[in-house]
Each structure stands twice: as C-alpha cells, then as structure tokens.
Amino acid sequence: MKKRTVFRVHPTINFARFGTSEDYILSPDTSAGLPQDGTDITGGLPIKKGTESETITSQDLRDQDGNLKKQAARFRLYAYEVDKLDTYPSGNGTEVTIATQLPDGRTVTDLIWSSHLANKKAAAYNVVNNKGIEAYANNQVPQMRNPEVHGSIDSANRLNRLMIDAGPRAISAKNKEKASFDRCSTASWVRKNGKIETLPDYPIRFPIDTNDELFEPSGPLETLGDILTDEKGRLLVLPSMGNAVGQYDEYGVPIQMTGDLNNVGWFDSAADGPVNVTIVFNDGSTEEAFGAWVVCGDPAYAPQIRNVVSVWDDVYDMFVRDLNLQPELYNKVEGEKDFVFNPDYKPNFVQDIQPVFIACNLQRWTANLPPLALRGHTAVESISEDDNPDQTIMAALNFIRNPNKDETNIGMPLMPLSLGAAGTSFMTVTKTQYFFLEQWSKKKFETGKANRLGPGEFLDMSALANCLGGRYVPGIEVSYTIMDKDIYIQDWKTSGTGPFRIKQYPLTYENLDKETPYLSSGWIPLHNMTNGLEPGDVSKFMAIPWQTDYNSCSIHATAINTDGVNESNGAETTLYWSWPSQRPDAVYVAEEVVNNVLPKQKWSIRGPGTYAVNPASAATFQDPLQSVKDWHKIGIIVQGTNVDNDEQKYSPSLYLEVQSQLTNPGDTTDPVPSWPFNANPPKPKKGCPYH
Amino acid sequence: MNVKHKDWTIKHLKDHLQAAVDLEFWTIPFYMSAMYSVKDRSSQAYQMLRTVVNQEMLHLQCAANIANAYGLSPTMKAPVYQGTTIPHLDFSLDNPKAIAPYKPYTAEIGALDLKHINAMCLIEIPEYLDGEKNIQLQSKIEEYGSIGAFYQALRFGAYLLRDSIQGGVRQVDYFSAFYRNMPNMTITESGENGFDQIGLLIDLITDQGEGQTKKDPTIPSAFQNTADDTEPHDDHFAKFNQIKNNMGHQLPDVYIGKAHGDYTDTDKQLEVILIQQFSELRNLLEQLFKGDNPEKFFSIMASVGGAISNCWHHGVTPRYS
C-alpha cells in the first residue's frame, strides 16, 4: 500500500505559563519526575531559552529585576509516512525545520505559523464546582457569568463586553517575525498559498474597549500573549503577564471578589486557541500541517512533581476506552456487547506502571505528609520491575482506590489521598492506570525500556503529563472538558492527524465587521457539539480570575466536593490536599537546608496576609485581591541538582523551594502541622429566641 | 488465685504489661483478617473494623510505652489462634447472662461471620455489662475474666510501683495527629507525674475498647479519633454490636477460604509470604519498642495488609505463623 506524507504539529496540546518578566524560558519536553537517561535530573523542568534541551536552574526562573519569567510553549513540526489506517503509537516521525529536505527532494524554505488567542471566561457559564461536567447534562447549562450584562449567551452585546478576542496572528519563521495578541496591533492570517494577509477589520475585543476605567491591581490587560519562532523555525507562544482587571461598581469602588471561581466584573489574561503552520517549499508549493492547540495559564510552581493522575492519564484513558486508541489493549470481545481491557495485554513497567509509583513518592515535596506515609511512599517508589508484586507494599493493590468500584468516599488508607473530582470525596487513578496496575499485580507486564513512542508522540505525552489531572474543580491548566471526546478529531486513524488533536472549528475570517464579534460563545459539553472548538473554548471552563482559584485550592474538607455534606469515612473537619503536586502546599525552602538535612516545612503561600484563623484556609492569601497582586512572588519547587548555591550542593533526591519572594529566611510564619489536621469545628447554630 | 495487693512486685507488673502487649497484639491479625475478608471496602462492616483495627494498633503502642516506662521492652511473640482460646481471658469467669448473646464464638482466624463477630464482642465486652467487680490481682494472668478486670489490676499495680516509672524511655508515637484532643500519647515524666500519664493511656485503652468500666458507653472526647472515623464516639463493643446486628439482616459478602488441600502453588506461596512478612513485622515491632527506628517498619506493616488481602482474593485463609 502506498504511503503518504503528512505533517503534524507537536505537542498536540501545549502550555504557555504566565510570568511578569519580558524574558522567558521554554516549556519542558520531558515528563515530570521521571528518570532521564544519562543524568540525575528528572523530567519536567523547563528549558533554557535558546537551547535545545538544557534544563533551567533556579537562577533562570526570574530576571535580574526579580520578575518571574514567562514559559513559552514550544511547538515543533513532524513529518510522517502513514498508511491508510494509522496506529498508535506509530513510533516514527521526523522533525521538520527550515532547510529540512524531504525524501521527495523538496526543501523547506519557510514555516508560516499562525494562532488565534481568546479568553471567553467572563462571557461563559459559571463553573459549578460540585457538579463538573454534569452541570451541562440533560440539555441544561449553568447560570451565565456576569448575568447583569444583557443578552443571551451568544448575543453581540454580551460578547462585545465580556469576551476578550485578540484575533488571529500569522508570522514567517524565515523572516523571524513576531506578533503580539494585543489590543492595538492588526490581526493577520495565512491564506492557502502561504501568504500572510492583514485583517484590519477584525473585531479585536479587550475589556477596556467597553469600560471607561478598570481596576488594574496588576497592570492593564491589553494583550493575551505573543508568537515568535526560534532559530530553527519552531513556534514559541508566549503568554501574557497573567494579570487580572476588575470593573468598578456604581460607587466607583472595585467590584469585590466574592468567591474562587466565578467572580463578577473580573477579567483575566488567560487564553487558548489553535496553532497552525503552512509549510513553504523551495518549489513554491505549500502544505498545511495538522495543527495543535495552545493553552496559556498558570505558572508551573512544581514542574517536576508528578501528578498521580495527570491530564495525560485522563486523555489517554479516554482515547483508549472511547476512541479506539489501542485495540490490542481495549476492544470488543467476540460475541460480547461491551468493550473490555484485554486480559493478556502486557503493559510496560517503566512506561505504564512506574510513573504512578514515582508520583506517589514525589508528593512529599509539596504536601505535609506524616512520617509513616513518607516511609510507605519510599517503599512504593523503590519497587522495581524485578520485584515480586506479591511481596511489595502494593500487593493486591491493597491501598489503591479502585475506580471500577464505588470507593471514592473511602479516604484512609486508600490512595491517592487527595481530593477527588466533582461530586466525589477522593481521587482515583484512571481505569486504564488501574488496569495496568492490575496486570502488574498479576505479573503480566513487560520489563525493560519501552521506546514505543515516536518523538512527536513523546512530546504529546510529556506536555499533558506535566499538567494536573483527576480533579478538575475546575483544574489548573484545563478542566474536565479535556476528557470529552467531542473536542477531539475522532477519525484520527483515517484522517492522518494522529490522536490527541483538538478539532478546530473552521475559521475563514471572511465578512469581518469591527462592530460585530467574530467568535461565538462556542463549544459546550454534552450538547452534541462536534464541529470543533473556537479560540477560548478550553480556558473558558476555568476560574475567573485564575489566581483566586489557585489561591483557594490548597486544602479542604471533603464536603467541598459533595454538596457540603461529609460523605467520607473520616471526620468532617479532616483536611486534605486539593492539588498537592501542582499547587504546592507545604514545601522545604532550599535556603534553610544545610548539609542536605531538611528543615521544617513551610507553607508555599506564607508571610504577611496569609495568617489563618482557621487551618482550612492555611497556606493561602486571606484576601483574594492579594492573590491577584502577589501570585508571581510564590516560590518554585526544583530538584536539588538545579538549585544554584555557591555554598553547598544539594542531593538529587531533594526537591526544594527556590525564588520565593513572600518571606525572607528566618521570618516567622504559620507553622505547618503534620497530617492529619483539622479545620475548626462548625459553629453551633443559634436557636430561635421564641422557641 | 487472688493475691494481696501488697504482693505486687515489679516482675509481677512486667508480666501484666507483657500480657497487655500480647493481648492487644493478638487482636490485630484476628480483626484484620475479618476486615480484609469483606469484599466491599465501603461497607459499614469493613469501615468499622478498620477503625477498631487502627485503635488496637494504638493500644499496642500504649501498652508498649507503659511497659518501657517500667523498664520492660516487650517481646512480640507469634499469636496463637486455636479453638476458643483468647490469651489471658477466661470467659467462664464472666457474668453468664452478659456473654450469652455472643456464643458460639471462635478464636480461629477466619472471614467475618457470626462466630467471629461474637468473639470480637466478647473480647470487647464492657465491665458494666459484666457486673461490678472488686480489683483483684490474680497470680496467673489467665485468671482474669475480662480485659476490664485485667487493666484494673494493672492500673493498681502500676500505681503501687509508680516510683519505678522512668519517663522518656523508648516511647513511640505514631498516632498523636489522629487524636488532636489527647494531651500526650507517651510517658515523658517519671514517678507520680508519670503515673498520671500511664493512667491516661490505660483510660484510652479501656474507654475505646476492651474492658470499658464507665456507665456511659460514649468515648470521652480526649480519646476520640479526630481524623478518620465517622463514629469516633462509639467504643469497640458498640461498633461490633452494630456489625452483629446488621448481620442479622444481611451477611456481608466475604471471601471464603478454601480447603488447604485445594491450595495451588500460588496459594501456598501467598500463605508463605504472609507468614514471612508477619514474622518480620514482629521483629521490627520488637526493635521499635526497644528504641530503634527500623526503616522498614511501616512498609512491612503495610505489606502485611496487602498480603492478607492477597490471601483472601485467592481463597487462602490467612496464617501468621
């Protein structure tokens, strides 16, 4: 069968992360916390600007003025020779850059990259934290955000006032062009012949366009980011400065933030949108690659601390069970109605099983675990592929919550012990992760290095593995919609796109009118919408502004997930971690480590404005406005290998906080108790004086 | 036979303290085996057993801490589970009316069933059901009818010999964070003040579980679990009775042990693994209570739980020696 050449952008989804500096570092190409060949440095660390893969050290995180550097999302282009029916993993793919010569003799002379960033948060529906995606079930939708702005969800009035749309931008890699998704530059787009065309009539929208004045505690919101290319023609998407602005009320007072998720009158500069590239060849021909998606959001405060359940685990699980990713793993049994996991499938220990064990042990660097748990986690991580599973601490998967059973309300001693998805007390591994663990438990697994993924496929996996999964309430980088098959190209086997690629709603940029919003309210889940996503359709399911949710999601009692009622097997006041690996709670400050002896833990968010009367609100800025102002002062957790210190070397086994600007060494802060610890008990109800 | 209070010697007290450790330790595999036999981990039976097992581990720690305060680092002998013999207890000395509802019972390891829950209730039967008793020191530890009587005697002997208490010696504390209202889980003081701490630990043991003497079955707040128990005010007897009463309506779905002759090679391996790991755990506990800090203690303790589960999943009745 004749093969055809297709071009694909990888990672299929990548993440740009806020910073207050004009300078930047690059998104990691490796997967958080996992061992890397030839080095002690584990995966997940960002990469130094201008390098292929040199990991940052602690002094690269801030610029000389102390501003937090942005993290650029780096996209690469790969060529594939594919059959009529694609398989996953393909294991192949060759990177294409400027000057690459293809087997057919053509040489790449230019790469015309384009993207379109938007933020629809304020125009979208509320996040309902105890319902999640179910808030859209049965043809229902949640209440609209900013309901005081007149109109239906798609009315021009609401979109003009509430949607931030920077419009599209296109740049030539050969000409080393750069474009900003800002308010005052002109939109541009690439037409079929690879020519960039300006779009002067594109209706760019920013909050200041419809507000006389805005409260700007972290500066004006006039851009969603930038695009540029590196020396090889790869695309770099830079995010904004992560700022948020609020409206003034009729008395001229900034509208107070009243919650974590759906603050009325507020806007932030998160964004997302498609990424595409047109390849220009020396013979004048052009080809379109299958595009990708970029999400601009929260900084990676603990880039090497692996989530037990990452976005990758969730997306992979969905593709396995819903989109026929690997029929040899999950398929229909002859004569049976249902699809099932293949009981003879052998997962690879290093690729499919060990990451869970490693993630388990990494939680200690961002959560206040008790000593016995630390010993247990050490034992979990030390399990090797040569061990008899029956003789390990993980025998019979005795301490793993089974996602196939109703066990989400069982806390201790089942793991993971962090809070669960909407409506559940505790998190579970995915069904695919659990199946892999079961196979290991039955001694049905492969040993040795897997090497199954091609280089582009590896980037897809790594980018998603570095993000928070399992608990999308609403999430840190993305929300529960990332697990909805309706957002993806579902005919990935025949279309040549490969899996994990978000379907782009076709935007032609014709009939533009400056007065009329171009984008609509866009895609929502559970409404049979499969036409693809518009810019802004990923980030709109996140909190507004992003800082208030990051700030508050430190530690909670389980009832926050279950309509205020304790459904767990523990006390109603017992506190658990919300997103421990992605949102550090308790950390070890590198400057306080001496001779590799760990000091007492400190809260990641600490110092003035963080002192909590109730332990339930420990480790947070007590005033949400402070989170909008000071989020960039929070420290970052990096491995000891990459902590710069002239006085001492740190062990590779340590992951320590660096570059915090919240306190100085020696400052007194709220103490970190050992877990389990409790919120203050509920206040007794006041009786009626007449009864 | 009864002996007079003035006859307490430090040896006699240490015999009682070792017996207390034996008794607390005996309950752990017995209860844990029943717990892991229950298939539904979210069931009331499983969860109640879990909370009691955790408190038995706490009681073991308390008994060992008291023993170390008197200079005894306890040994951890392999418990024996045969017939109807529960170490140091002779139910024939109990009020027949009080124990009648909990017969028949068995002291053999097995899945959760009526005989096993009866045994658990008998072990935990409170003194207020068993009739008022005078504190009587028995020359043989086996001559106590209930754990309540045993601990009353122990407390009395401990008081008489309070001058021998040395605080801060080989004390272990893994549970403080689970009992936020408890002043201290260890003996830090010597002499009279140390005895107050010992009395507190004995109260914790008896009020939570075995041999509760008070009229009100509610556990005092200082001894209530504050972390992972939805019924922290209920003592062991109350919890076991809830399980027993529910079994009257519906027996829990449990794993059933097959005949030993039907064991496959894999089954036999699982049995051996449990015995080996439990033996290692006993050694590690001894080290722990001798003042060491054995690195593998928790991982082996957790592994024993996994090994018990593994046995049941394969139809193998757990064995510990």
Side-chain angles (χ1 to χ4, degrees), chain B residues 21 121-122:
Chain B
V21 168
C121 289
L122 282 174

Side-chain angles (χ1 to χ4, degrees), chain A residues 101-115:
Chain A
Q101 187 172 35
L102 298 181
D104 64 12
R106 291 183 298 170
T107 299
V108 177
T109 57
D110 199 2
L111 298 170
I112 311 296
W113 291 94
S114 60
S115 184

Side-chain angles (χ1 to χ4, degrees), chain A residues 672-685:
Chain A
V672 177
S674 184
W675 192 89
F677 65 124
N678 302 73
N680 291 344
K683 288 188 177 145
K685 295 272 184 289

